[in-house]
Amino acid sequence: MTEQLGTLDELPPSYLKELTSLDLVPLWPFLRGFLPYGIPERKTKPAHWAYESIRPLLLQAGDLTPIEKAERRVLVLCNPGHNPEDALVTPTIYVGLQLILPGETAPNHKHTPSAVRLVVEGGGGFTTVNGEKLPMEPGDLILTPPGLWHEHGHEGDGPIIWMDALDLPLIYNIEASYCTEGEPQQMKPDPDGSQTRYRRAGVLPYQSLNQRDYGFPLLRFPWREVREALKDLSKITPAGDAVQLAYVNPETGQECMPTLGFSALMLRPGEEFTLPKRSSSGVLKVVEGRGQADIDGATYDWDQHDIIAVPTHSPITLVNRSGQEPAYLFLVDDAPLHRKLGFYEEFK
Ligand SMILES: [Fe+2]
């Protein structure tokens, strides 16, 4: 183990000047910053956003800025460890809360970053993905995968609010982020068709067995069904084990998006649970209930719809404050990216 690396100060100014003139830099003064021992250098902080604080400001944005001037009316959650203009909640994940009012639309486009929507409140909203009209009910997860056309609309009453989660910081920093605008989509005759085709786990459209080129077959995961599945799973899950379901591609059994992973957690009444420290970063969104979270030594009280940032290499302890009702949380993380890059780790 190298005890002390050389510094810039130890080098003659004339030498440094010559390096600079040739667009060169010595590695050794910076090496430990790039490759620290044992644990990565993390700018990202654990952080908590209370929904009750954000909601009135988001509704105010509805008064202040017409949708035509916003395109997407979103308040972005900015991790306090980073510059606000970087618009990231973890190193790879962007999260915003988006508002659509009755009759409004968010126009059709497609882009290279992957995006998902987790519906927070309101009814009558829809997202159309490549011509498939997907209803948006509270708690539903809607995928808008990279390169697929998508637009949003609202045919109900009252505001609709959802959480957007994208791998935008990652795609932006590899200088691959861009978008294309399109005309409003022609609706396919089978709205919510992906739900129909992949109605039940373990049963697939027969022709998918011949498929080799897997895309994004299932675009909407209804919360109503995920919640029921968690309740059933909780009955056979021993105390101390996680009641947690992963959202997957039904044709491959693998994560349903390229870089971001999604799971739903249930905390039984009064339950305290610690998820292992992992190499990935993540964002917790409270779907139902209230409780406490300890993220890498920072403690937060959470309520319904609150959002919590989880840096890489952070253990998570969650407590359900209710002794009568279960609590439900949604987790988005970049574990699929870490797995693809070959360094995903869980630490005991
Ligand atoms: Fe988009």
Side-chain angles (χ1 to χ4, degrees):
M1 185 181 284
T2 310
E3 288 299 328
Q4 192 152 14
L5 293 166
T7 66
L8 285 178
D9 293 343
E10 294 168 0
L11 297 169
S14 57
Y15 176 72
L16 288 174
K17 197 175 170 189
E18 197 172 346
L19 289 182
T20 303
S21 71
L22 293 170
D23 296 321
L24 295 169
V25 72
L27 173 61
W28 56 96
F30 307 102
L31 178 61
R32 199 54 62 227
F34 290 127
L35 289 172
Y37 292 122
I39 187 166
E41 192 170 305
R42 298 170 300 165
K43 289 186 195 167
T44 307
K45 308 277 186 214
H48 167 251
W49 290 264
Y51 184 64
E52 68 170 6
S53 304
I54 303 174
R55 188 179 188 275
L57 294 169
L58 188 55
L59 293 175
Q60 205 178 337
D63 296 330
L64 294 170
T65 306
I67 195 77
E68 299 76 26
K69 292 185 82 173
E71 192 172 306
R72 298 304 197 252
R73 193 192 287 113
V74 179
L75 293 181
V76 181
L77 281 60
C78 303
N79 190 285
H82 295 270
N83 294 324
E85 57 267 29
D86 290 339
L88 51 84
V89 69
T90 83
T92 53
I93 304 172
Y94 156 107
V95 161
L97 286 170
Q98 181 159 175
L99 168 71
I100 288 209
L101 297 170
E104 290 184 340
T105 57
N108 188 31
H109 72 182
K110 61 180 182 178
H111 40 68
T112 47
S114 299
V116 299
R117 331 286 161 187
L118 190 84
V119 184
V120 176
E121 63 169 279
F126 66 91
T127 294
T128 306
V129 180
N130 272 11
E132 184 173 327
K133 186 177 179 181
L134 308 165
M136 302 177 83
E137 299 298 327
D140 288 1
L141 177 69
I142 310 278
L143 308 186
T144 57
L148 267 56
W149 292 107
H150 56 278
E151 60 193 289
H152 311 289
H154 185 358
E155 296 167 327
D157 303 316
I160 290 181
I161 296 173
W162 66 75
M163 183 181 90
D164 294 311
L166 284 79
D167 59 4
L168 180 63
L170 171 73
I171 306 305
Y172 179 77
N173 279 300
I174 62 169
E175 299 186 358
S177 179
Y178 77 97
C179 121
T180 307
E181 289 195 319
E183 296 297 317
Q185 296 171 59
Q186 294 291 322
M187 301 279 190
K188 289 179 184 168
D190 54 344
D192 212 15
S194 70
Q195 256 301 304
T196 309
R197 282 190 289 280
Y198 299 93
R199 188 84 191 93
R200 198 178 197 297
V203 186
L204 297 172
Y206 188 83
Q207 281 308 316
S208 68
L209 295 176
N210 297 325
Q211 217 161 287
R212 288 291 173 269
D213 183 17
Y214 298 107
F216 303 97
L218 183 57
L219 294 168
R220 184 173 81 94
F221 298 77
W223 174 245
R224 182 170 28 85
E225 294 181 9
V226 175
R227 189 179 189 276
E228 286 304 304
L230 283 168
K231 281 168 72 176
D232 285 348
L233 182 63
S234 73
K235 293 172 192 161
I236 60 162
T237 303
D241 288 357
V243 182
Q244 186 174 15
L245 289 170
Y247 294 76
V248 299
N249 178 325
E251 291 180 344
T252 66
Q254 301 300 306
E255 290 108 343
C256 54
M257 291 285 258
T259 57
L260 300 181
F262 316 100
S263 60
L265 276 160
M266 174 179 157
L267 296 171
R268 290 165 279 204
E271 189 168 32
E272 174 175 335
F273 187 79
T274 299
L275 289 162
K277 185 167 87 169
R278 305 191 303 159
S279 60
S280 48
S281 68
V283 178
L284 284 161
K285 151 80 176 64
V286 182
V287 181
E288 290 178 43
R290 63 181 52 182
Q292 187 179 302
D294 190 303
I295 313 289
D296 211 15
T299 302
Y300 306 108
D301 291 321
W302 46 260
D303 211 330
Q304 191 178 29
H305 304 318
D306 288 2
I307 296 171
I308 299 169
V310 182
T312 62
H313 292 250
S314 298
I316 307 170
T317 299
L318 299 165
V319 182
N320 179 359
R321 279 268 168 73
S322 172
Q324 282 80 45
E325 298 297 327
Y328 299 92
L329 295 105
F330 176 79
L331 174 63
V332 47
D333 60 42
D334 56 10
L337 175 69
H338 284 218
R339 289 193 184 96
K340 287 188 171 81
L341 294 175
F343 57 71
Y344 176 77
E345 287 181 278
E346 288 185 9
F347 305 88
K348 297 297 173 199

